[in-house]
Amino acid sequence: GPKKVKKLYNELKIKDIDDLKKALKKEKIREIEGFGKKTEKSIIQSIKQYEKSQDRMLINRAMETAEDIIKIIKDKAKVKKIDYAGSLRRWKETIGDIDILAVAKDSKKIMEAFTKMKDVDNVMLKGDTKSTVMLKGGIHVDLRVLPESSYGAAMQYFTGSKDHNIALRKIAIKKGYKLSEYGIYSKKSGRKLGGKTESEIYKKVGLKLVPPELRENRGEIEAAKKKKLPSLVELDDIRGDLQMHTSYSDGDNTVKEMADAAAEKGYDYIAITDHSKSERIANGMSERQIKKQWKEIEKAEKKTDIRILRGAEVDILKDGSLDYPDKILKELDIVLGAVHSGFKSSEKETTDRIKKAFENKHLTILAHPTGRMIGKRVGYKVNLDKMYEAAEDNGIILEINADPARLDLNDSHIINAKEYKVKFSLGTDAHSTSGLDNMRYGVGQARRGWLEKKDVINTKTWKQLQKLL
Ligand SMILES: [Zn+2]
């Protein structure tokens, strides 16, 4: 309560959580009159919970969890509709809580199925229309059951983002409507005018339906008003995967195994892009090894339905040169350049290094262009505008790395890079056959970056791609 907060400030000059943690460590809190060991313990508990709630998880963890939960509920109870909403539906790279919405005749049964899942650690709230659980891994999940007539309005409301919804509500008010999670209403008569579908809501306020990935108040409302929303790239548009590793460097599977798994996805082609020789920790390939791999690619291609491109993820060395001589590079169908070292170099050094590499006529794609790992490292310092400009000048394609721990370029980078005449490629950077499944996260990021099919080179047919390379 506020009285206790004031006392903490007066007695120990505690202004924030860090001060509080220090005082707790020194066992200072228990000495204050009216606090004691019990209060100290409960404060520690609250801090732990607070910090846990601040944690955001990578999108793949949230997505897989949400999909599992929806499957369990569908198996155990009769549901008419069930979907995840929130930032997950917007394919944000990190997710806080998971929100699930459903329509069901018997809401008790679905709440039973939800709260009794074996992964539930703690049922925090259980009601007929809303329940909240904490899973064993510390993930919060909300489930709401709604009448069908409000489902669209609720999906709209709980998908967010907050900024998008505020902007939308303003337009609704201007037009004499009231917008809520239950529906859209006439302000004058109070009569409900829609809410069963999201399209109804957007249509009523004079907008085209905005795809969830764009709902960040970054110009999508104006675009929807002018009927100028992009027609976003879709997972089904993707005809091949342009970055993956095999047992030739640090991957788990053979060329043939990767090709078969990709063929099963319905792809027309893949690029095998193992590490170059300087990547010793990733078991980079010597020139002899890569030549051996070409033979294996040739053999594998005869036994599978898809085209296998000879590629490599070649280190961009400190001086901007590439890690294989031209005589090797010119034999490759596709050359990914990557910065894997020197993360402490200055912005100018790294920018010059990348620009120098772009001048090599064999280079096709810049892999994971900023080098960041989400929540782990920020990446190298580089002048992005200069990098995009040099990519435009040299016809270098920018990768959107679909590994959920990378997602590099990120959404706002893509939006900025699109201002230049550059194309993008999607690669999973898979190190095993299951890694190929990550393509959807790359597509999600591309959609958040407003990309259309024509912006992404691996939506092209094999023939079209050959011409481009
Ligand atoms: Zn790499």
Side-chain angles (χ1 to χ4, degrees):
K3 261 191 195 158
K4 284 201 165 161
V5 173
K6 205 172 168 208
K7 209 161 189 183
L8 283 173
Y9 179 76
N10 287 340
E11 304 247 4
L12 296 170
K13 295 277 169 276
I14 288 171
K15 295 186 296 295
D16 54 34
I17 250 186
D18 285 336
D19 292 348
L20 189 57
K21 273 160 90 179
K22 270 181 219 154
L24 283 166
K25 219 175 171 183
K26 289 185 194 151
E27 302 186 336
K28 288 252 158 102
I29 307 281
R30 65 177 71 167
E31 289 164 22
I32 303 173
E33 196 199 333
F35 275 69
K37 275 191 191 170
K38 223 173 154 187
T39 320
E40 204 173 48
K41 218 172 157 188
S42 93
I43 293 173
I44 293 172
Q45 210 63 35
S46 309
I47 291 180
K48 266 193 193 148
Q49 252 176 21
Y50 168 80
E51 286 184 334
K52 221 171 201 175
S53 73
Q54 296 299 98
D55 277 352
R56 295 180 69 84
M57 66 194 123
L58 295 181
I59 184 171
N60 59 323
R61 189 163 169 234
M63 187 61 84
E64 284 161 20
T65 305
E67 286 171 343
D68 283 349
I69 293 172
I70 287 173
K71 194 179 171 297
I72 291 168
I73 293 174
K74 273 183 172 169
D75 282 350
K76 297 230 163 116
K78 239 186 162 167
V79 289
K80 203 159 181 197
K81 279 178 179 158
I82 185 159
D83 291 288
Y84 52 83
S87 48
L88 183 58
R89 187 165 171 243
R90 304 200 313 278
W91 290 79
K92 251 193 107 155
E93 60 192 36
T94 59
I95 311 294
D97 301 339
I98 296 174
D99 296 294
I100 296 175
L101 306 184
V103 175
K105 251 197 190 133
D106 188 351
S107 78
K108 272 208 178 95
K109 216 165 189 178
I110 163 171
M111 289 306 182
E112 249 341 85
F114 177 63
T115 52
K116 293 229 164 98
M117 296 185 301
K118 74 176 195 317
D119 264 355
V120 170
D121 185 39
N122 186 10
V123 177
M124 302 169 86
L125 176 83
K126 192 181 173 191
D128 281 349
T129 57
K130 191 193 165 190
S131 295
T132 302
V133 300
M134 164 103 88
L135 301 180
K136 278 169 190 156
I139 304 174
H140 262 130
V141 190
D142 281 346
L143 171 66
R144 288 181 176 81
V145 179
L146 302 130
E148 199 169 8
S149 60
S150 290
Y151 194 65
M155 280 300 283
Q156 200 291 315
Y157 182 88
F158 289 108
T159 295
S161 70
K162 207 172 161 193
D163 290 341
H164 173 87
N165 284 356
I166 289 170
L168 197 67
R169 224 174 306 143
K170 270 187 193 157
I171 300 177
I173 289 167
K174 249 193 207 158
K175 291 187 182 277
Y177 304 127
K178 209 189 106 210
L179 188 56
S180 77
E181 61 203 269
Y182 304 106
I184 185 159
Y185 301 84
S186 157
K187 212 174 172 194
K188 234 185 201 163
S189 68
R191 202 161 59 90
K192 187 167 176 174
L193 305 167
K196 197 174 172 191
T197 65
E198 281 191 320
S199 317
E200 263 177 24
I201 307 272
Y202 283 95
K203 199 175 169 194
K204 205 84 215 158
V205 297
L207 301 179
K208 283 269 181 190
L209 177 68
V210 178
E213 296 91 335
L214 298 186
R215 298 182 195 170
E216 300 289 343
N217 201 24
R218 290 197 280 215
E220 73 279 9
I221 298 218
E222 292 75 9
K225 215 183 283 175
K226 292 179 192 149
K227 298 192 170 60
K228 287 215 165 121
L229 282 169
S231 147
L232 299 176
V233 61
E234 286 173 29
L235 185 58
D236 277 348
D237 295 331
I238 304 296
R239 289 170 180 263
D241 191 330
L242 296 180
Q243 180 174 181
M244 69 187 66
H245 300 262
T246 70
S247 44
Y248 269 84
S249 64
D250 57 349
D252 296 338
N253 293 97
T254 63
V255 171
K256 174 77 164 50
E257 284 164 351
M258 294 305 272
D260 287 343
E264 218 162 278
K265 295 198 167 301
Y267 288 155
D268 299 337
Y269 51 83
I270 53 167
I272 299 291
T273 58
D274 278 304
H275 288 287
S276 60
K277 59 186 182 201
S278 289
E279 266 315 285
R280 289 209 186 82
I281 21 168
N283 193 27
M285 292 180 292
S286 68
E287 284 159 42
R288 248 185 57 181
Q289 280 172 306
I290 196 170
K291 283 181 184 163
K292 203 177 134 204
Q293 189 181 57
W294 297 343
K295 285 198 187 121
E296 191 169 325
I297 287 175
E298 213 183 303
K299 251 176 42 199
E301 219 178 22
K302 281 185 190 139
K303 290 188 207 144
T304 171
D305 294 336
I306 66 171
R307 309 305 301 257
I308 308 172
L309 278 76
R310 281 184 187 179
E313 185 186 6
V314 183
D315 271 32
I316 296 173
L317 303 174
K318 275 247 158 102
D319 63 359
S321 65
L322 298 182
D323 196 23
Y324 283 131
D326 283 354
K327 68 171 200 277
I328 294 280
L329 297 177
K330 76 173 202 288
E331 299 290 326
L332 297 173
D333 301 310
I334 193 164
V335 177
L336 272 61
V339 173
H340 286 130
S341 63
F343 276 54
K344 286 190 178 127
S345 303
S346 72
E347 180 183 299
K348 184 168 185 315
E349 277 169 332
T350 304
T351 308
D352 288 348
R353 175 180 176 183
I354 290 173
K355 277 172 68 178
K356 180 85 203 310
F358 282 4
E359 285 166 17
N360 186 311
K361 65 172 194 289
H362 300 297
L363 185 71
T364 328
I365 295 171
L366 178 64
H368 44 72
T370 76
R372 68 130 175 201
M373 297 289 276
I374 299 172
K376 290 212 173 101
R377 72 171 190 224
V378 288
Y380 38 79
K381 293 190 249 356
V382 61
N383 184 316
L384 289 169
D385 281 304
K386 281 189 180 151
M387 185 171 89
Y388 302 150
E389 196 178 270
E392 177 182 315
D393 290 347
N394 294 285
I396 302 294
I397 293 149
L398 299 173
E399 183 184 66
I400 298 167
N401 192 296
D403 180 337
R406 288 189 181 270
L407 292 173
D408 180 10
L409 298 169
N410 74 18
D411 54 357
S412 52
H413 293 148
I414 299 167
I415 290 172
N416 293 335
K418 219 190 148 187
E419 298 289 311
Y420 299 81
K421 277 198 204 76
V422 290
K423 296 272 182 227
F424 301 85
S425 81
L426 290 175
T428 57
D429 204 348
H431 284 71
S432 65
T433 51
S434 65
L436 297 171
D437 294 342
N438 286 334
M439 185 57 84
R440 58 178 174 159
Y441 302 114
V443 172
Q445 192 81 328
R447 289 170 64 88
R448 289 179 60 80
W450 292 59
L451 293 192
E452 303 190 306
K453 188 178 170 183
K454 64 174 173 13
D455 299 313
V456 178
I457 63 159
N458 40 324
T459 61
K460 295 189 183 301
T461 62
W462 168 245
K463 263 195 176 158
Q464 292 168 328
L465 186 73
Q466 252 181 325
K467 241 187 257 166
L468 188 106
L469 299 174

